[in-house]
Amino acid sequence: MNRALATASTSDTARAVARLAGASASGVPCAPVRDLIGRDDLAAAYAVQAALTERRLSAGARVVGRKIGLTSVAVQRQLGVDRPDFGVLFDDMACADGGTIRGGQVLQPRVEAEVAFVLGADLTDGALDTAQVRDAIEYGVAALEVCGSRVAGWDISLGDTVADNASAGAYVLGERRRTLDETEPVDVVMSMSVNGAEVATGKGADCLGDPVEAVAWLARTAYDLGDPLRAGQVVLSGALGPMRPVSPGDTVTATLSGFGTVTVHFGEEEVS
């Protein structure tokens, strides 16, 4: 990503940061920020994301990994975009398998199923190609990503979602760990249900052709931006099917062949 291509002014970037930070703090979704940074100015959008990340770090949050978004054609069609993006995973986003997402914890939640990887080695130099990434992956697990948008009504362009930390909200990792020698992510078949009714299906090849290829894309992109992937980090590789909205009281379960199941519950909205 070439930061020199950014066209948004410093003041407009700061206003976008303030708008999204305000929505996060208040729990009230805001207007899109594309009026400030443009629809497709990725350099400006990632600058906003980086500034919001610094705010979180200053407040005591810890980065534990990354999420890749917009890897599924189905999700790209849902949001009207044609390329992947990425965001940051913080320690307070993790939810245990079978656990509960608090009411209001994630704004306007939507859920998608995917393969998550835990890295056993840094990806800080070298070719950062598929072979190197495979060697760096310690294991994979079934995962649910709970996407959330600080932008009202999910009225987002690519610039809006990138600025808004790629619409990251929370994530859940399954308990069955598999190495790439045990389960091949590209061959995974996924089914996701809400309250027992199937709402989405997909397969590993629906994630940029192969979830491992998605991680290789992220490794190169993160390196180019000066913040490479590190050992121990979690990488959510991207949706295998469309996102589905959820409501308080819902239970979501995904089954990924070879990786088993992963489940999360959604608590009732808290009354103030």
Side-chain angles (χ1 to χ4, degrees):
M1 220 71 64
N2 185 350
R3 290 179 178 147
L5 296 177
T7 58
S9 68
T10 301
S11 60
D12 281 343
T13 299
R15 289 168 63 197
V17 170
R19 186 180 296 177
L20 290 168
S24 182
S26 67
V28 178
C30 63
V33 295
R34 56 183 175 268
D35 62 315
L36 300 171
I37 63 169
R39 298 181 63 89
D40 300 300
D41 187 341
L42 292 185
Y46 279 115
V48 172
Q49 183 187 122
L52 289 167
T53 295
E54 285 302 317
R55 284 190 174 210
R56 290 295 316 277
L57 295 176
S58 296
R62 181 170 56 89
V63 173
V64 297
R66 310 287 177 84
K67 62 148 289 183
I68 310 172
L70 307 177
T71 57
S72 162
V73 172
V75 174
Q76 289 181 357
R77 287 173 177 164
Q78 278 185 306
L79 300 180
V81 301
D82 62 358
R83 70 194 80 175
D85 67 355
F86 76 88
V88 176
L89 298 179
F90 297 101
D91 54 338
D92 61 358
M93 291 181 175
C95 178
D97 189 8
T100 298
I101 302 293
R102 303 187 313 275
Q105 178 180 341
V106 178
L107 290 181
Q108 306 179 106
R110 297 181 179 185
V111 181
E112 58 190 31
E114 54 200 87
V115 179
F117 299 103
V118 174
L119 300 179
D122 291 345
L123 288 167
T124 56
D125 55 23
L128 301 179
D129 56 11
T130 303
Q132 182 180 355
V133 167
R134 289 185 68 91
D135 288 343
I137 290 172
E138 184 174 352
Y139 61 85
V141 295
L144 290 169
E145 182 182 354
V146 184
C147 302
S149 182
R150 271 58 63 175
V151 176
W154 278 87
D155 178 16
I156 58 175
S157 65
L158 182 60
D160 294 305
T161 186
V162 168
D164 187 24
N165 198 26
S167 303
Y171 68 94
V172 189
L173 302 184
E175 296 183 352
R176 181 185 294 179
R177 300 178 178 184
R178 290 292 182 266
T179 68
L180 298 190
D181 289 332
E182 295 173 311
T183 299
E184 189 59 60
V186 72
D187 296 329
V188 165
V189 176
M190 178 276 292
S191 172
M192 185 175 76
S193 65
V194 177
N195 302 327
E198 186 176 71
V199 297
T201 60
K203 54 188 185 298
D206 293 334
C207 177
L208 285 187
D210 182 343
V212 178
E213 291 284 357
V215 180
W217 170 84
L218 174 64
R220 293 188 293 270
T221 303
Y223 175 83
D224 288 344
L225 288 171
D227 190 13
L229 301 179
R230 301 285 182 176
Q233 290 188 333
V234 176
V235 177
L236 303 182
S237 62
L240 304 183
M243 294 189 297
R244 295 304 184 198
V246 288
S247 301
D250 284 347
T251 295
V252 181
T253 297
T255 301
L256 280 68
S257 61
F259 290 108
T261 64
V262 57
T263 297
V264 70
H265 309 286
F266 287 85
E268 298 293 337
E269 293 289 349
E270 299 175 352
V271 178
S272 57

